[in-house]
Amino acid sequence: MIEKNRRIRATCNCLADAVLIFLAYLLANYLRFNYMRFFQPGGAGPALAIAQDVRTMLAGVFAAVGTVLVLWLLHLYDSRRLYGIWRQSRIIVVVNALCIVVFQAVLYLARLPDFSRMVLALFYCLACGLLIGRRLVMRWYHRRQRDRGEGVRHLLMIGGGAIAAKYLLALQHNPYYGFQVDGYLAGQENPALACRYLGGYDRMDESMDDPLIEEVIIAVDAGDMDRIPAVLSACDKHGTRVTMVPFYNDYLPARPTIDVLDDCKLINIRQTPFDNLVNAAVKRLLDIVGSMLLIILTSPVMLAVAIGVKLSSPGPVLFRQERIGLNKKPFMMYKFRSMRVNTEENTAWSTNADPRKTRFGSLIRKFSLDELPQFFNVLKGDMSLVGPRPEIPFHVEHFKEEIPRYLVRQQVRPGCTGWAQVNGLRGDTDIAERIRYDIWYIENWTVALDLKIIFRTVFGGKMINDEKLK
C-alpha cells in the first residue's frame, strides 16, 4: 500500500507539472499577443486562425511532456531521493533552459520561423516560477501536515552508537524531508539518543511487523558490522526498504560514485565534480568568458592603478610570486605591487598595519584592486575565477604536514575568490577551518554555487585579499 501511494503521488506530481508548463506556455502567448494564438494576427481567416490555435496547443503539449520527461529521468519525482527545495529549484531552472533551447530548435526545423522569442522568454520565466512555486506551496502544506502528525515517513533505526546519533542530528537539521524515527534497536540503550529504545537486535522481526514502518535505517558502528547480514535478511523477509549509513561516513565525499570490478564495489573516496569532463569544460568556459569580460571592463582601472604603483615607489608595477596550483604545479601569480621591494616575499605574512606597505598600496589593498591582474592568470589557465586561494610553496609544505586533507584543494585550479573567503575566512584566519570550507566547495561544486560566490564577492564585501606579502 505504501509503495502504491508513492507511485500515485509521483504520477500526480508529474501531471501537475505538465499542466503548469502547458498553462505557462498559453499564458506567455496571451501576455505577448493578448490572445491565445502562436502567431501574431495579420488578417488571417477563421480557418487559419483555428489552425494556428491548434498548433499553439500542440506546441504547449510538446513542451510540457518533454520537460516533465527530462525531470523524471533526473529522478525529481522519486520520493526516495533526498532533494531539498534549493536543489530542486536549480534542476528546474537548468532543465527548463535546456528544453527551451531544444524547443526553439524544433520550431525552427519545423519551418515555423515566425515564432516569438518574447513568448519563449516569458514561457521560461513563467514555467520556472510555477514549478518552483508549486514546490514551495507543497512544502508549506506538508509542514502543516507534519505539525498535525500526518504525512510522516516512519523509520526504524538499527544501531545506537555514534553513527546513529549523527543520523538523528541530520534529521533534526532537515525536518522538511518528513522523516520520523519511531525507535531504534541496539545491543543496549543509549540515553544520549533522543529516540525510543525498542530493545535488542533480537526484536527485528517483531519491530518490522509494525505496518507503519516504511524503511529501515542501518546506522551501526564498526564494532557491530557483523549484524548487517541479519538485518538485511530480516528486511528482505518483511519486504521493507533499507538504507545504510556507513560507519566510514566522515571519509566519504558529498556525492561518491561506485565502480564495479567483478564482485567488488569500489567507492571513489576522492572523486570530485571536476572529474566529469562536462563539468570541467563548463567551468573552464566560464573562466575564459568571465576573465575576458572582466579584463575589458576593468582595463581603465588597471591602467590607473599601474600608473599609481609606478609613481608611489621604486620597483616593478606587477608583483610576481610563485604559488601552488592544480595538481601541485607551481605558477607565477600576478598582482599590483603594494609594498616596497623586500627580501621576505616568499615566506612572510603581512598585516593591515605592515610598515612595508606604501600609502598607495594601502589604498589599492583596501579595495582589493591589487588583485585585478589575476584575471590574466585565469585566462592563461593557471587559476579559476572561483576556487581555493593559492598558497606559496613555503606554506604548502608546512600545512600539508599539519592539516589533514590539505592537499585535496590542489585537485582543482585555485581561484581569485572562494567559498571560504566569502564566509569571512580570509587573511590570517584559522587555516583548518578554511580548508574545511575549500573541500566542501570542491565536493559540492555547481555553476550556481560559483555564481553565488561571485555575487557575494562583488556585493557582499571587498574582493578577496589573502594578505600575503607583496
Side-chain angles (χ1 to χ4, degrees):
M1 179 63 68
I2 292 174
E3 187 62 29
K4 181 179 179 181
N5 290 338
R6 283 179 174 174
R7 288 196 296 267
I8 293 175
R9 191 183 305 119
T11 302
C12 291
N13 286 331
C14 286
L15 293 175
D17 280 352
V19 170
L20 289 177
I21 294 170
F22 179 71
L23 292 177
Y25 185 71
L26 297 184
L27 182 58
N29 277 275
Y30 182 79
L31 292 175
R32 174 64 180 88
F33 299 126
N34 199 30
Y35 82 129
M36 300 307 297
R37 295 178 190 129
F38 185 65
F39 297 102
Q40 193 167 3
L48 182 56
I50 294 174
Q52 290 171 348
D53 281 340
V54 171
R55 283 196 289 186
T56 301
M57 298 292 185
L58 291 177
V61 170
F62 170 78
V65 172
T67 304
V68 168
L69 178 61
V70 175
L71 294 176
W72 177 77
L73 291 174
L74 293 175
H75 304 285
L76 203 63
Y77 303 108
D78 190 342
S79 61
R80 292 182 294 273
R81 294 295 183 96
L82 300 182
Y83 286 133
I85 184 65
W86 297 115
R87 188 178 177 190
Q88 290 187 56
S89 299
R90 289 196 299 268
I91 293 174
I92 288 171
V93 168
V94 173
V95 167
N96 276 340
L98 294 175
C99 289
I100 285 291
V101 172
V102 173
F103 185 48
Q104 186 174 3
V106 170
L107 292 176
Y108 180 79
L109 294 175
R111 300 183 183 279
L112 298 175
D114 297 329
F115 61 84
S116 171
R117 291 175 177 81
M118 179 59 71
V119 167
L120 295 181
L122 290 171
F123 174 42
Y124 174 75
C125 295
L126 290 170
C128 290
L130 289 175
L131 294 186
I132 295 173
R134 185 183 77 83
R135 281 157 174 79
L136 289 173
V137 171
M138 294 303 298
R139 182 177 178 179
W140 171 81
Y141 173 72
H142 290 150
R143 182 176 295 175
R144 293 288 300 273
Q145 272 192 318
R146 288 193 295 273
D147 291 341
R148 298 193 301 265
E150 303 172 0
V152 176
R153 294 175 61 179
H154 296 270
L155 311 176
L156 171 66
M157 186 169 66
I158 309 297
I163 299 299
K166 183 183 289 290
Y167 179 74
L168 290 175
L169 183 62
L171 290 187
Q172 181 181 343
H173 291 164
N174 299 275
Y176 43 80
Y177 285 121
F179 295 149
Q180 176 181 304
V181 177
D182 290 351
Y184 71 97
L185 302 175
Q188 59 183 8
E189 185 176 4
N190 184 354
L193 295 183
C195 187
R196 187 161 60 101
Y197 180 60
L198 301 178
Y201 294 113
D202 57 330
R203 299 195 61 187
M204 281 190 291
D205 284 329
E206 179 182 347
S207 300
M208 292 182 195
D209 277 335
D210 187 341
L212 287 179
I213 297 299
E214 299 183 48
E215 191 170 343
V216 168
I217 305 297
I218 302 177
V220 297
D221 291 338
D224 289 330
M225 288 295 292
D226 58 334
R227 302 284 185 178
I228 291 181
V231 177
L232 295 177
S233 177
C235 291
D236 293 339
K237 175 182 176 182
H238 292 271
T240 306
R241 294 187 177 276
V242 58
T243 300
M244 182 183 298
V245 183
F247 70 89
Y248 46 88
N249 174 79
D250 292 342
Y251 302 98
L252 291 176
R255 297 181 180 87
T257 58
I258 299 178
D259 292 326
V260 179
L261 181 64
D262 289 338
D263 292 333
C264 294
K265 279 73 174 181
L266 310 176
I267 302 177
N268 296 303
I269 298 295
R270 291 293 177 260
Q271 191 167 21
T272 72
F274 303 108
D275 294 326
N276 183 293
L277 293 179
V278 175
N279 289 340
V282 169
K283 184 168 177 63
R284 182 61 189 142
L285 179 62
L286 291 176
D287 285 339
I288 293 173
V289 175
S291 61
M292 292 179 65
L293 182 61
L294 288 169
I295 288 171
I296 295 172
L297 293 176
T298 61
S299 56
V301 179
M302 285 196 278
L303 178 60
V305 172
I307 295 173
V309 171
K310 192 64 177 177
L311 296 176
S312 63
S313 66
V317 171
L318 289 179
F319 172 77
R320 298 175 176 85
Q321 188 179 56
E322 186 179 64
R323 298 290 179 102
I324 302 301
L326 177 64
N327 297 326
K328 298 183 285 186
K329 293 181 180 179
F331 70 96
M332 298 304 295
M333 190 178 76
Y334 309 132
K335 295 186 180 184
F336 285 120
R337 182 173 56 84
S338 60
M339 288 188 175
R340 298 175 180 87
V341 177
N342 61 86
T343 59
E344 298 179 323
E345 60 187 28
N346 291 322
T347 60
W349 292 78
S350 67
T351 63
N352 289 331
D354 199 309
R356 293 165 295 183
K357 287 193 294 186
T358 64
R359 186 172 300 177
F360 185 75
S362 298
L363 176 65
I364 62 175
R365 289 181 68 165
K366 180 178 180 180
F367 297 99
S368 296
L369 299 178
D370 58 325
E371 309 282 350
L372 294 179
Q374 290 170 34
F375 295 145
F376 291 97
N377 284 118
V378 176
L379 189 59
K380 286 176 58 181
D382 296 328
M383 295 178 63
S384 176
L385 290 176
V386 181
R389 288 295 293 166
E391 298 283 359
I392 60 178
F394 175 83
H395 290 306
V396 171
E397 292 300 318
H398 177 67
F399 292 139
K400 76 177 185 181
E401 302 294 340
E402 298 183 358
I403 302 175
R405 303 181 68 188
Y406 177 80
L407 287 182
V408 172
R409 67 204 301 275
Q410 309 305 143
Q411 296 179 5
V412 301
R413 287 185 178 88
C416 298
T417 183
W419 182 237
Q421 284 69 36
V422 297
N423 282 282
L425 296 168
R426 58 167 64 92
D428 191 10
T429 53
D430 185 1
I431 297 297
E433 185 71 2
R434 191 189 305 179
I435 299 308
R436 189 173 70 85
Y437 274 80
D438 287 340
I439 292 176
W440 185 92
Y441 165 79
I442 292 170
E443 294 180 347
N444 294 272
W445 175 86
T446 61
V447 173
L449 179 59
D450 270 4
L451 295 177
K452 176 181 179 180
I453 293 172
I454 293 173
F455 181 86
R456 287 181 58 177
T457 299
V458 175
F459 299 103
K462 67 178 183 178
M463 189 174 167
I464 302 310
N465 192 325
D466 58 359
E467 296 297 332
K468 292 292 187 301
L469 183 66
K470 301 180 178 62

